[in-house]
Amino acid sequence: MKNFLTFLLVIGLLFNCNRNKSVITDKSTSDSLSYFLSLPDSQAIPLNKRLIYNKKALSIIEKQINDSSYNNNLYVVANNYYKLGQNQDLIRTIKRLEINAIERKDSINIAKVYNLRGNQNINEGKNDSAYYYLLKSEKLFLKLNDSLNLGKNYIDKAFVQLYENDFSGCELSSIQALNYYKNFDVKQKEYDAYNLIGICSNELKDYDNALSYHKKALILVNKYEIIKRSKAHFKSSSLNNIGYVYQNLNNYKEAILNYNTALLDEKLLQESPYIYSTIIDNLAYSKFKLNDYAKLPDLFYEALKIRKENGMKSAQVLSKIHLSEFYAHLKDTINSKKFANEALKDSKQTRVSGDLLLSLKQLSLVDYKNSATYSKEYIRISDSLQVEERKAKDKFARIAFETDEIILEKDKLAEQNRSLLYFFIGTLFVGLLLFVIRTQRAKNRELLLKQQQQKVNEEIYNLMISQQAIIEDNRVKEKKRIAQELHDGVLGRLFGARLNLDSLNKFKDEESINNRFKYLSELKNIEQDIREISHDLNREKYVLINNFVAIVTNLLEEQRNSFVAGVTSTIDENIKWEVLSNTVKINLYRILQESLQNINKYANAKNINILFKTDNESVFLTITDDGTGFDASTKKKGIGLQNMVSRTSECNGTFDVKSQKGRGTSIKVVIPLINIPATSDEKL
């Protein structure tokens, strides 16, 4: 009897999936995803069309962006395939959803996938696999604190335990489901839990508890229209369950009262032939127990006929056992044995252990000749079933333990991975920190070296300037001394000689006169030449006076003496060197010096042209050679060029280099005269 009740509950749950859906007509005008997702749930649409609509929904989802709604929609499609009984499509969709949910770490849909896999295995009779996946989904739902889905998962788990005759476990799972449902308005789900607890209590012979929960389920049906109007006929089902408990209590009158009340449902036979046949078979059996033979055995035969027409194999076994009992009571041994043997034959085909035990028990009672054989077989199978039930309980406990172990190992592995990740991140951070510190120190050292180099350059230049100034000062002094000596000494004596000769004018002879004028003219010429020499020596020509120009001249002279390349230089006399600071002059000198070094090292030039000029706003330095050149657009700048660029930037100037392979190189430096006034002590 428990088997038919279990099947009855399954029918109820399947109908429950559709309770909130309104009838949707086939509207070709709608093309939205939500429309196609909702159509497969409509009982008003033929099965083949519902399958088509679900496939259309799947094709739309496949074109969507893989975001959070993608997995949710894919789950609805998979759930529709489950409800429509399309196992292969369900498996394919579940695999796709599982892979995608794991990749996106979508825990809620991973849990739903495991629940679907569990239900799929329930349908295939793989209860151990079903229990395994339901446990996995349970763990995830617990972590997510998803009470509603946890309740559903516990109901599914209760079904597996019921099928494996683990009635205590089924009852516990159903109670847990109720605890999670209490905060939600899900009366239909509460009904399922009450019904399961009632069935399990009945099987455990706790009839008072069974009646209590079946009556709670009936109260929900009577109170809420959404349950009462369901085509699953939950009211009739609950009345039958209550009647069956009374029947087990041998209170057949109360049982008949509930059965007759259940049969008041006019659409019961049409919409739920299984429930109808169960009720009239139970009604017939209770009437038989009360020796009320009105409509007997017609009710038994009516139930058997409905069950044959609808392919209810296990239910047929129960009908034939009841008929065997009925005819045995009437001393009709032939019919009694006939139906008992048919029941045994059918039970061997259904392979339902409960049916087989009932058939053997009935045959042992009616077939006196073979009673001992049937009794032994009954005891053997009963003992075997008890062992199998214990094994099933142990198996579920083992699966739960192994699942917990796997989850624990997974958590440990995840913790280890996190620790490794933290260690790696910490090591990387320390490494980066050390690298930054080392780089910063290197930059600081480089900056310090540059500052020291600049200071040394200043000192060197100042020494060069000082040395050149001393040389020039001594040269000027020497020139003045010579000029003074010429002016005061030689010119004075010559002037006296001219006066003495002038006295010769007293002689009037022609020869004296001619000689006198000749000497006087010569003395005048000597005087003029000496005066001009004196003036030239005393006049400070700009190029010689300017120390920077002298330093540059010395550099170029050294270049001419040390290297093969010829050097041509032009220095604009209009350049106001006194306006430029020592820093600018140092940088110009170093740029020129670095350029000459690069030409000597790499260019193999024959001619070098140096040009200093001005436009009264800027000073231009151009250095050109006819050497091998290089590709200025792609070649990485060397340290020498970088230094020249850096020195130019310090003077707020611009640096430009043009070069081509085989066509020489041209460097142009432009230093503005404005915004860089020299201080009084910097002027040369």
Side-chain angles (χ1 to χ4, degrees):
M1 184 64 71
K2 67 185 178 186
N3 295 292
F4 100 85
L5 287 173
T6 302
F7 184 71
L8 177 61
L9 188 55
V10 174
I11 295 294
L13 288 176
L14 289 176
F15 275 109
N16 174 44
C17 295
N18 302 316
R19 74 186 189 284
N20 290 325
K21 302 293 181 181
S22 59
V23 176
I24 303 174
T25 58
D26 184 3
K27 298 179 181 178
S28 59
T29 55
S30 177
D31 195 34
S32 67
L33 176 60
S34 58
Y35 175 74
F36 286 123
L37 285 174
S38 62
L39 287 175
D41 257 351
S42 175
Q43 298 296 320
I45 301 175
L47 177 62
N48 61 335
K49 286 192 174 182
R50 284 188 277 165
L51 286 173
I52 292 171
Y53 293 137
N54 206 42
K55 288 180 179 178
K56 285 184 178 180
L58 181 59
S59 65
I60 294 173
I61 293 170
E62 288 173 342
K63 298 175 184 177
Q64 287 183 331
I65 299 173
N66 191 353
D67 55 11
S68 58
S69 64
Y70 179 90
N71 286 343
N72 296 333
N73 293 330
L74 199 59
Y75 171 76
V76 175
V77 170
N79 201 36
N80 285 338
Y81 278 133
Y82 171 72
K83 294 174 186 177
L84 295 171
Q86 302 301 307
N87 200 46
Q88 294 302 317
D89 291 325
L90 171 63
I91 291 171
R92 284 193 295 269
T93 310
I94 282 177
K95 284 182 178 178
R96 184 185 307 179
L97 176 58
E98 183 175 9
I99 291 170
N100 197 60
I102 291 173
E103 285 179 354
R104 293 182 59 86
K105 297 181 179 179
D106 185 356
S107 299
I108 183 64
N109 277 301
I110 293 173
K112 288 181 178 179
V113 164
Y114 290 150
N115 180 268
L116 263 181
R117 280 192 177 277
N119 281 279
Q120 170 203 342
N121 281 286
I122 290 174
N123 290 344
E124 295 177 357
K126 301 175 182 177
N127 292 329
D128 51 349
S129 297
Y131 193 80
Y132 169 75
Y133 282 112
L134 290 173
L135 276 176
K136 290 185 73 173
S137 62
E138 176 187 336
K139 302 298 181 184
L140 285 175
F141 284 135
L142 281 169
K143 285 185 177 180
L144 295 167
N145 198 26
D146 189 340
S147 298
L148 189 59
N149 277 311
L150 263 172
K152 178 187 179 304
N153 201 77
Y154 277 120
I155 289 293
D156 296 334
K157 183 178 170 183
F159 268 108
V160 177
Q161 292 167 316
L162 182 65
Y163 293 152
E164 293 292 327
N165 297 323
D166 182 9
F167 303 117
S168 298
C170 173
E171 186 176 28
L172 178 60
S173 295
S174 301
I175 291 171
Q176 287 176 308
L178 278 175
N179 288 332
Y180 284 106
Y181 285 153
K182 63 185 178 183
N183 295 323
F184 299 93
D185 186 18
V186 283
K187 301 305 177 184
Q188 173 62 68
K189 296 183 183 297
E190 286 184 37
Y191 172 85
D192 296 334
Y194 287 146
N195 211 21
L196 273 170
I197 295 171
I199 291 173
C200 292
S201 297
N202 185 59
E203 293 297 328
L204 294 170
K205 303 187 184 308
D206 186 356
Y207 299 121
D208 291 339
N209 198 55
L211 282 174
S212 173
Y213 277 96
H214 280 311
K215 287 179 179 179
K216 286 180 180 180
L218 183 61
I219 290 171
L220 283 176
V221 174
N222 291 329
K223 187 174 181 181
Y224 297 97
E225 291 295 323
I226 192 169
I227 307 176
K228 187 188 298 184
R229 294 179 182 178
S230 171
K231 290 184 179 181
H233 298 275
F234 292 116
K235 181 176 181 179
S236 297
S237 179
S238 290
L239 287 167
N240 174 73
N241 290 340
I242 292 170
Y244 185 67
V245 176
Y246 280 123
Q247 187 172 294
N248 287 334
L249 288 169
N250 298 325
N251 189 348
Y252 299 113
K253 289 183 179 180
E254 195 67 32
I256 291 171
L257 179 63
N258 281 278
Y259 294 145
N260 285 327
T261 306
L263 290 172
L264 294 176
D265 189 342
E266 296 177 354
K267 295 182 179 180
L268 183 60
L269 174 60
Q270 177 186 352
E271 295 180 348
S272 186
Y274 182 88
I275 296 177
Y276 180 81
S277 65
T278 301
I279 293 173
I280 61 172
D281 186 70
N282 285 337
L283 174 62
Y285 190 78
S286 290
K287 289 171 66 68
F288 156 62
K289 287 294 184 179
L290 286 175
N291 296 318
D292 180 3
Y293 298 111
K295 296 184 180 182
L296 296 182
D298 294 343
L299 287 175
F300 284 124
Y301 281 111
E302 184 183 357
L304 180 59
K305 179 183 177 182
I306 294 171
R307 287 168 172 177
K308 283 182 177 180
E309 289 174 350
N310 290 276
M312 306 172 192
K313 295 290 185 181
S314 183
Q316 290 177 50
V317 173
L318 189 61
S319 288
K320 290 175 181 180
I321 290 173
H322 285 172
L323 281 167
S324 177
E325 286 188 54
F326 176 75
Y327 283 117
H329 185 72
L330 297 177
K331 310 297 182 181
D332 186 348
T333 308
I334 295 174
N335 280 322
S336 178
K337 287 182 180 180
K338 171 192 170 186
F339 283 110
N341 281 308
E342 287 182 6
L344 179 61
K345 181 180 178 181
D346 290 345
S347 64
K348 289 179 179 179
Q349 292 179 352
T350 62
R351 296 182 179 180
V352 176
S353 57
D355 294 345
L356 185 60
L357 285 175
L358 289 173
S359 301
L360 289 170
K361 183 179 180 181
Q362 183 61 26
L363 274 170
S364 68
L365 294 173
V366 299
D367 189 351
Y368 305 110
K369 190 175 183 179
N370 300 306
S371 176
T373 303
Y374 291 128
S375 295
K376 288 180 180 179
E377 184 67 12
Y378 175 85
I379 293 170
R380 185 187 67 80
I381 294 175
S382 179
D383 291 342
S384 176
L385 284 176
Q386 289 179 9
V387 172
E388 290 300 318
E389 286 178 9
R390 286 196 296 272
K391 285 183 178 179
K393 292 179 181 179
D394 293 341
K395 178 174 62 178
F396 288 157
R398 186 173 63 257
I399 291 172
F401 175 74
E402 290 175 352
T403 303
D404 288 340
E405 272 198 332
I406 291 170
I407 292 172
L408 183 61
E409 288 296 325
K410 186 178 178 182
D411 290 341
K412 286 182 179 178
L413 184 60
E415 183 64 29
Q416 290 175 357
N417 289 338
R418 279 195 296 271
S419 299
L420 287 173
L421 180 62
Y422 294 152
F423 175 76
F424 175 75
I425 292 173
T427 304
L428 181 62
F429 177 76
V430 171
L432 286 174
L433 184 61
L434 291 174
F435 175 76
V436 170
I437 292 172
R438 186 173 180 180
T439 303
Q440 190 61 40
R441 286 181 178 177
K443 287 182 178 179
N444 291 338
R445 286 196 298 270
E446 183 181 357
L447 181 60
L448 183 61
L449 287 173
K450 284 184 177 180
Q451 291 175 346
Q452 291 175 349
Q453 183 182 12
Q454 185 176 358
K455 185 177 180 180
V456 170
N457 288 340
E458 288 276 1
E459 291 175 355
I460 291 172
Y461 185 76
N462 288 332
L463 287 172
M464 291 172 63
I465 292 296
S466 299
Q467 183 181 10
Q468 193 66 26
I470 293 170
I471 293 170
E472 289 298 322
D473 185 55
N474 290 333
R475 182 185 297 174
V476 170
K477 287 180 179 179
E478 183 63 20
K479 286 194 298 181
K480 286 185 177 181
R481 187 188 66 76
I482 294 172
Q484 187 176 12
E485 185 68 25
L486 287 172
H487 188 274
D488 297 339
V490 177
L491 263 181
R493 289 196 302 271
L494 287 175
F495 180 72
R498 184 177 63 82
L499 289 177
N500 290 330
L501 287 173
D502 189 51
S503 65
L504 293 175
N505 287 333
K506 296 178 180 179
F507 300 97
K508 302 297 184 179
D509 59 285
E510 185 177 354
E511 183 179 0
S512 297
I513 293 171
N514 290 333
N515 287 332
R516 185 174 58 248
F517 279 105
K518 181 179 179 181
Y519 285 118
L520 287 173
S521 179
E522 183 65 22
L523 286 172
K524 287 180 181 179
N525 290 334
I526 293 171
E527 180 185 351
Q528 184 62 33
D529 289 340
I530 293 172
R531 184 177 286 108
E532 288 179 0
I533 291 170
S534 176
H535 289 171
D536 288 340
L537 288 171
N538 198 41
R539 186 168 57 244
E540 296 182 356
K541 292 185 178 180
Y542 186 77
V543 174
L544 294 176
I545 284 298
N546 192 288
N547 292 330
F548 177 74
V549 174
I551 293 172
V552 170
T553 303
N554 290 339
L555 177 62
L556 297 179
E557 190 63 32
E558 183 181 347
Q559 171 69 24
R560 292 187 186 97
N561 295 333
S562 303
F563 299 96
V564 177
V567 179
T568 303
S569 62
T570 304
I571 301 177
D572 191 347
E573 294 184 356
N574 295 320
I575 298 175
K576 298 178 180 179
W577 295 109
E578 68 275 9
V579 175
L580 297 176
S581 66
N582 283 347
T583 300
V584 174
K585 292 173 185 176
I586 291 171
N587 286 325
L588 282 173
Y589 179 81
R590 291 301 185 192
I591 290 170
L592 175 59
Q593 187 182 45
E594 186 67 35
S595 298
L596 292 174
Q597 288 178 0
N598 287 343
I599 293 170
N600 295 332
K601 286 181 180 179
Y602 310 113
N604 295 323
K606 295 181 180 179
N607 296 289
I608 305 171
N609 184 39
I610 311 295
L611 172 63
F612 281 97
K613 68 174 184 177
T614 183
D615 61 358
N616 295 324
E617 292 183 356
S618 301
V619 174
F620 301 87
L621 168 60
T622 305
I623 306 162
T624 308
D625 69 77
D626 58 359
T628 55
F630 60 91
D631 189 350
S633 61
T634 59
K635 186 174 178 66
K636 185 178 179 181
K637 291 181 179 180
I639 296 176
L641 280 175
Q642 290 178 8
N643 288 340
M644 285 188 265
V645 172
S646 177
R647 290 182 182 279
T648 305
S649 298
E650 287 180 16
C651 302
N652 298 324
T654 58
F655 181 89
D656 182 45
V657 58
K658 294 180 180 178
S659 182
Q660 291 183 1
K661 289 185 178 181
R663 302 186 64 178
T665 303
S666 176
I667 293 175
K668 186 176 182 180
V669 180
V670 182
I671 305 296
L673 293 173
I674 58 175
N675 298 328
I676 52 169
T679 58
S680 58
D681 59 338
E682 286 181 329
K683 293 180 181 179
L684 300 178

